[in-house]
């Protein structure tokens, strides 16, 4: 009976967290679908031809507008690299498309507080700068050339079909004219559903893991693990161990925010939370995809440079927010309340679920289901799915 109660409690906590962030996910993916429906990926690749600061800033902006789950972002970055984008710029795009997106910021604010959202959007660009510097110092051109040769082989990883499908609206006309046209509505609906299909598995897994840990693992364990009783040691330890916990958790992108909330309540440092969230691009399945895409040597290079950049970003936000006295004094992230009540969250969910229903209906009515089956397919052969 106790086991049943424990399982029900974990499921209840996971469900309450899902309900809390649902409207934000729908809003974020709808905005992303609008952007992706009006900007062609070939145009993006043409803008990322070098690693100058201006180009990296453009890559970060375009990545933030083209939000994706971690698997799709990694596949899309490889696609841009194959089309001529600079490797550093492609990696900046990849980081931004999972860690600098609207829905992530809203969910962080809802579950953990606005300070974490601010830290995410400050630490993300810093991580890109640190990565670019590390690439210039330690990554030789012959390593990138070898990675390009491996990338040109087109070995499939995960979400390849999704990354290869360019569903942007082509033709003339203003932004609003293209967006409000029947073709624009169709394109937005297709991108919206594809993005949800890409992230759904990891989101559900992340919520279940967070619910289970919140229900079953006592906070005293995390407090000892993160040295919560010693603020100085905790601040030093958090950014180092945060990415390692993320790598072992197998949870990517938006799905790791509920677990980050659990870890914050358990005692991880402020900077450790940020480093943990950034590490969605280093989970074990994605490291294996890097090996397929770019070769074993580049996989190790990405592991080392990404990890170092995450630690640097974690320390920076810890120092900055600590100096400005912006680190929350209470550890009360929204993970320990189960149940649904009629409040602003419920009303927002109702409104945005209606929007999602309309987009899904359009997707089905315009032949989206066959395309959905190709999401995990070959990285070649899908470029013709643009909406004329």
């Amino acid at each position: 009976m106790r086991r049943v109660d424990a399982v029900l409690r974990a499921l209840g906590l996971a469900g309450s967290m899902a309900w809390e962030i649902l409207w934000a996910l729908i809003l974020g993916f709808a905005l992303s679908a609008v952007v992706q429906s009006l900007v062609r990926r070939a145009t993006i690749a043409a803008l990322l031809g070098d690693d100058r600061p201006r180009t990296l800033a453009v890559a970060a902006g375009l990545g933030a507008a083209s939000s994706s789950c971690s698997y799709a972002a990694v596949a899309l970055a490889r696609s841009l690299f194959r089309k001529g984008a600079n490797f550093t710029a492609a990696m900046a795009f990849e980081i931004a498309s999972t860690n600098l997106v609207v829905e992530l910021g809203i969910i962080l604010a809802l579950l953990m507080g606005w300070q974490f959202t601010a830290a995410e959007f400050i630490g993300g660009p810093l991580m890109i700068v640190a990565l670019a510097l590390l690439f210039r110092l330690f990554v030789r051109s012959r390593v990138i050339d070898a990675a390009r040769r491996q990338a040109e082989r087109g070995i499939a990883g995960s979400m390849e079909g999704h990354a290869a499908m360019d569903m942007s609206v082509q033709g003339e006309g203003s932004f609003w004219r293209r967006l409000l046209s029947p073709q624009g509505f169709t394109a937005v609906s297709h991108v919206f559903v594809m993005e949800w299909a890409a992230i759904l598995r990891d989101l559900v897994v992340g919520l279940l893991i967070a619910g289970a840990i919140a229900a079953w693992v006592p906070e005293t364990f995390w407090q000892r693990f993160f040295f919560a009783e010693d603020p100085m040691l905790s601040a030093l330890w958090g950014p180092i161990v945060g990415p390692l916990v993320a790598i072992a958790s197998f949870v990517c992108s938006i799905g790791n925010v509920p677990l980050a909330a659990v870890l914050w309540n358990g005692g991880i440092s402020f900077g450790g939370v940020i480093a943990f969230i950034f590490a969605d691009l280093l989970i074990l399945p994605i490291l294996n995809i890097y090996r397929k895409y770019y070769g074993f040597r580049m996989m190790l290079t990405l592991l080392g440079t990404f990890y170092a950049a995450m630690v640097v970003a974690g320390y920076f936000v810890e120092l900055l927010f600590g100096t400005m006295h912006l680190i929350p004094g209470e550890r009360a992230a929204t993970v320990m309340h189960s149940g649904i009540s009629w409040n602003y969250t419920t009303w927002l969910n109702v409104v945005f679920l209606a929007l999602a229903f309309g987009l899904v209906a359009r997707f089905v009515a315009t032949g989206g289901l066959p395309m959905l089956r190709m999401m995990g397919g070959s990285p070649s052969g899908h470029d013709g799915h643009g909406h004329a």
Side-chain angles (χ1 to χ4, degrees), residues 35 39-40 43-66 80 85 88-97 100 125 128:
V35 173
V39 181
R40 298 207 65 191
T43 303
I44 296 176
L47 295 172
L48 308 184
D50 54 60
D51 62 351
R52 294 180 299 173
R54 178 186 176 92
T55 303
L56 296 181
V58 170
L62 291 172
S66 304
L80 295 174
T88 304
M91 293 301 102
F93 180 94
E94 176 183 303
I95 292 169
S97 65
L100 293 177
I128 292 173

Side-chain angles (χ1 to χ4, degrees), residues 235-252:
L236 292 173
W237 177 241
I240 293 174
V241 76
L244 301 179
V245 175
I247 291 171
S249 72
F250 283 73
V251 181
C252 72

